[in-house]
């Protein structure tokens, strides 16, 4: 084949152009809708179990989720296995203990039945939690036994449910799907003890988990190729473990499948909800489900315009309410196209707010008894019981506060766009927090999604002004210690205990660390987790 100078496309670029042509907005939405039918059918097999979406892809596959979680596939990639204390997802384990189990929805585009988040990340997570709980139960039992010998029963009833009616034959083995090789399983098992020690050292509330879970956690895998006999579906209470049912919506095919209905032809895309910036054109999962039938029935020719109208109407509606509502722009791709083919359009991701309206209520999270809360900027305007607001969003927000001094706007950008934005603004943020917390005022810290920048600002404030127990001491304990990555890790676990949707990026966490160490040492490579 001739080169581009001869007017021909290479096989590689032609294949990519064909793939982009097949991965249209209508094909993605139609594929998501078709896969969501399967999710609905599986959820009805165990209606008592709450349905959770694994962010961000899984959030597209059902109109209503009980909650969300965040297990990354990269933590399960071969030779990159990880148990990340910045993504503990302890609320998932607690919810499973309360409800007798839970179901997690995700998908993958990579031509396999399950994403690595389900094949390895979650199995590693369940095993490490089981091991930590088992160790805690044994230590708790031994401590109470020694106390009973000494005739001291003080405090023994506080967590009596930890050992009451619970077998000590607690399953701590690693349960992986059959397609994971024995060699890879052995390599993962070699790291389990290290991860378990790391979890316990992080300050995670293992006692609450041990009291909540009566049976060990165990993953189960269900895909569209799983054979289920409807007259033999077991009751989840009959299992000797707490099930974490992993529902992969993807058909295990690496290529698009052409399908035809009575009205339209379309191509099925496995895991279509993945990488939403590349196809969604500003559409969010909740906006999609609010107008799903109108979009699906519109057909491929008018779907793009329908979505553009919905996104713009939603933007105007939010602007009228005083919420952050940036203009969504669409520009043509600059890549080569097939002969006589019109350029494809893609959303300008620099202006897109990711998951601005999830199906889960984006509530404000109060961090224990610290008088500090974290949340989204869109919820700050109507927040109750708030005395002052620190707004880290790039957009200003209307707030109803007693004085202008109770509101501080410090526009911050994530490290992907500005490596020093957070670092440069943290001194002012901590000073504002110190001034108000000294007066015992209730402080809300917000950003556009309440998941990254505001979490990092909270982390800096808690490290600077509070002791390890979460008591405001005006920075006395901070001035007496040399901050380490373990201090950061433990305090981040404390924040994530209350803000369960926290997803701080590694670049932003590094800026917090460099702010905290100040001139004590040069910039370090901080490895405490976070997203890439």
């Amino acid at each position: 084949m001739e080169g581009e100078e001869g007017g021909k496309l290479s096989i590689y670029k032609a294949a990519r152009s064909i793939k982009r042509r097949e991965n249209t907005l209508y094909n993605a939405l139609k594929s998501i809708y078709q896969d969501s039918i399967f999710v609905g059918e599986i959820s009805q097999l165990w209606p008592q179990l709450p349905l959770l979406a694994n962010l961000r892809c899984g959030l597209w596959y059902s109109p209503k989720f009980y909650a969300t979680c965040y297990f990354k596939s990269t933590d399960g990639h071969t030779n990159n296995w990880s148990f990340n204390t910045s993504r503990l997802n302890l609320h998932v384990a607690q919810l499973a203990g309360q409800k007798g189990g839970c179901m997690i929805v995700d998908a993958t585009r990579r031509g396999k039945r399950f994403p690595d988040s389900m094949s390895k990340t979650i199995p590693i997570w369940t095993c490490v939690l089981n091991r930590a709980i088992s160790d805690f139960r044994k230590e708790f039992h031994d401590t109470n036994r020694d106390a009973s010998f000494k005739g001291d029963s003080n405090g023994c009833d506080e967590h009596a449910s930890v050992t009451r009616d619970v077998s000590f034959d607690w399953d701590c083995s690693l349960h992986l799907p059959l397609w994971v090789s024995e060699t890879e399983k052995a390599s993962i098992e070699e790291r389990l003890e290290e991860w378990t020690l790391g979890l316990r050292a992080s300050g995670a509330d293992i006692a609450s988990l041990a009291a909540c879970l009566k049976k060990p956690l165990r993953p189960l895998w269900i895909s569209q190729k799983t054979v289920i006999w409807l007259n033999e579906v077991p009751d989840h209470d009959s299992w000797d473990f707490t099930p974490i049912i992993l529902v992969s919506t993807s058909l295990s095919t690496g290529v698009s499948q052409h399908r035809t209905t009575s009205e339209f032809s379309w191509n099925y895309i496995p895991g279509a909800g993945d990488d939403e910036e590349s196809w969604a054109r500003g559409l969010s999962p909740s906006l999609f489900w609010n107008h799903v039938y109108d979009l699906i029935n519109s057909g491929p020719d008018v779907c793009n315009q329908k979505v553009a109208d919905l996104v713009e109407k939603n933007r105007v509606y939010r602007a009228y309410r005083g919420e952050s509502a940036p203009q969504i722009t669409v520009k043509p791709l600059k890549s080569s196209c097939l002969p006589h083919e019109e350029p494809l359009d893609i959303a300008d991701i620099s202006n897109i707010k990711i998951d601005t309206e999830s199906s889960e209520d984006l509530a404000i999270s109060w961090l224990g008894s610290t008088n500090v809360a974290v949340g989204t900027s869109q919820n700050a305007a109507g927040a109750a019981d708030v005395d002052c607001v620190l707004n880290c969003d790039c957009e200003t927000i209307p707030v109803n506060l007693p004085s202008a001094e109770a509101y501080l706007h410090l526009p911050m950008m994530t490290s992907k766009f500005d490596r020093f934005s957070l670092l440069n603004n943290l001194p002012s943020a901590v000073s504002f927090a110190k001034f108000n917390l000294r007066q015992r005022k209730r402080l809300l810290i917000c950003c556009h999604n309440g998941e990254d920048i505001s979490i990092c600002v909270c982390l800096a404030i808690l490290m600077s002004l509070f002791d390890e127990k979460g008591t405001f001491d005006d920075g006395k304990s901070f001035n007496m210690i040399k901050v380490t990555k373990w201090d950061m890790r433990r305090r981040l676990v404390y924040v994530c205990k209350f803000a369960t949707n926290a997803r701080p990026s590694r670049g932003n966490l590094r800026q917090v660390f460099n702010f905290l160490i100040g001139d004590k040492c040069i910039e370090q490579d901080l490895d405490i987790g976070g997203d890439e």
Side-chain angles (χ1 to χ4, degrees), residues 450-504:
E451 299 172 355
D452 186 1
I453 292 177
S454 56
I455 295 294
C456 291
V457 173
C458 280
L459 181 60
I461 290 172
L462 291 182
M463 291 288 295
S464 301
L465 304 176
F466 290 77
D467 63 20
E468 193 169 345
K469 296 181 180 180
T471 302
F472 179 77
D473 65 0
D474 209 16
K476 293 180 181 178
S477 58
F478 173 72
N479 293 328
M480 296 173 62
I481 65 170
K482 179 179 179 180
V483 177
T484 67
K485 67 177 183 180
W486 272 105
D487 297 322
M488 285 272 293
R489 190 174 293 174
R490 290 174 63 87
R491 201 61 63 94
L492 181 58
V493 168
Y494 176 83
V495 173
C496 294
K497 176 182 178 181
F498 303 99
T500 57
N501 65 325
R503 294 191 289 167

Side-chain angles (χ1 to χ4, degrees), residues 318 321-325 353 362 364 374-383 389-399 407 444-450 454:
R318 293 176 59 205
R321 296 180 61 186
E323 300 173 2
S324 176
K353 299 292 186 183
L362 297 174
I364 289 173
V374 62
T376 63
S377 52
Q378 68 185 51
N379 284 332
V389 173
L390 172 57
N391 177 21
C392 306
D393 199 347
C394 290
E395 303 288 334
T396 188
I397 55 175
V399 290
Y407 174 77
L444 170 62
I445 303 170
C446 61
C447 65
H448 75 278
N449 59 15
S454 56

Side-chain angles (χ1 to χ4, degrees), residues 27 164 262 266 314 329 362 389 400 442 448 463 498 529-530:
N27 286 340
R164 184 187 302 142
S262 58
W266 58 286
N314 182 63
T329 60
L362 297 174
V389 173
N400 185 19
R442 292 158 294 187
H448 75 278
M463 291 288 295
F498 303 99

Side-chain angles (χ1 to χ4, degrees), residues 54-266:
N54 192 29
L55 296 173
R56 293 177 297 157
C57 179
L59 197 59
W60 288 90
Y61 289 94
S62 177
K64 187 173 181 59
F65 284 102
Y66 189 94
T68 63
C69 55
Y70 190 44
F71 295 96
K72 290 193 69 175
S73 286
T74 51
D75 292 336
H77 286 176
T78 303
N79 296 324
N80 191 50
W81 313 287
S82 174
F83 180 85
N84 201 312
T85 53
S86 69
R87 293 185 288 272
L88 284 179
N89 291 289
L90 296 185
H91 67 291
V92 178
Q94 291 174 337
L95 183 61
Q98 295 166 3
K99 303 292 185 178
C102 66
M103 309 174 73
I104 299 177
V105 176
D106 204 354
T108 178
R109 283 190 176 186
R110 298 187 179 275
K112 49 190 177 183
R113 291 173 62 186
F114 292 87
D116 284 342
S117 61
M118 291 183 164
S119 294
K120 284 168 281 188
T121 303
I122 295 178
I124 289 172
W125 173 80
T126 58
C127 182
V128 172
L129 260 59
N130 284 336
R131 290 166 64 99
I133 291 172
S134 178
D135 291 345
F136 176 84
R137 289 181 185 278
K138 291 175 183 177
E139 293 174 2
F140 185 86
H141 179 265
D142 292 343
T143 301
N144 285 347
R145 182 183 59 188
D146 294 342
S148 64
F149 287 155
K150 297 177 182 179
D152 181 10
S153 61
N154 292 333
C156 292
D157 295 332
E158 181 179 358
H159 293 290
S161 60
V162 171
T163 55
R164 184 187 302 142
D165 300 328
V166 176
S167 170
F168 284 98
D169 185 19
W170 194 263
D171 184 9
C172 295
S173 56
L174 177 65
H175 295 277
L176 293 172
L178 296 177
W179 54 86
V180 177
S181 69
E182 289 297 322
T183 301
E184 187 172 4
K185 180 179 180 181
S187 298
I188 295 174
E189 288 176 329
E190 292 176 355
R191 294 164 170 80
L192 289 174
E193 182 62 23
E194 174 189 348
W195 292 332
T196 304
L197 293 175
L199 171 61
R200 300 187 65 184
S202 71
D205 190 0
I206 306 299
S208 295
L209 287 181
C212 183
L213 284 165
K214 303 307 179 187
K215 302 175 185 178
L217 299 166
R218 182 169 176 176
L220 300 174
W221 296 268
I222 294 179
S223 73
Q224 295 201 41
K225 288 193 174 182
T226 303
V227 177
I228 299 177
W229 301 101
L230 296 180
N231 60 338
E232 297 180 5
V233 175
D235 189 342
H236 69 278
D237 287 334
S238 66
W239 289 318
D240 59 355
F241 54 84
T242 302
I244 306 294
I245 300 177
L246 307 178
V247 183
S248 175
T249 69
S250 309
L251 281 174
S252 54
T253 174
V255 296
S256 299
Q257 298 178 355
H258 187 75
R259 300 186 179 185
T260 303
T261 63
S262 58
E263 295 178 293
F264 309 113
S265 294
W266 58 286

Side-chain angles (χ1 to χ4, degrees), residues 304-320:
N304 284 12
Q305 188 58 50
K306 286 268 188 182
V307 168
D309 292 342
L310 286 175
V311 170
E312 178 60 16
K313 287 179 181 178
N314 182 63
R315 187 191 72 83
V316 172
Y317 171 73
R318 293 176 59 205
Y320 280 147

Side-chain angles (χ1 to χ4, degrees), residues 382-451:
D385 301 325
V386 170
D387 301 316
C388 48
V389 173
L390 172 57
N391 177 21
C392 306
D393 199 347
C394 290
E395 303 288 334
T396 188
I397 55 175
V399 290
N400 185 19
L401 295 171
S403 65
E405 291 75 17
Y407 174 77
L408 177 63
H409 182 205
L410 294 175
M412 301 186 198
M413 300 179 68
T414 184
S415 60
K416 290 184 178 180
F417 300 103
D418 188 337
R419 291 177 53 204
F420 304 103
S421 177
L422 201 65
L423 181 62
N424 293 335
N425 282 287
L426 282 177
S428 299
V430 172
S431 296
F432 178 76
K434 178 185 289 190
F435 175 78
N436 287 282
L437 292 173
R438 278 176 174 172
Q439 305 175 54
R440 299 190 177 184
K441 292 184 178 180
R442 292 158 294 187
L443 169 66
L444 170 62
I445 303 170
C446 61
C447 65
H448 75 278
N449 59 15
E451 299 172 355

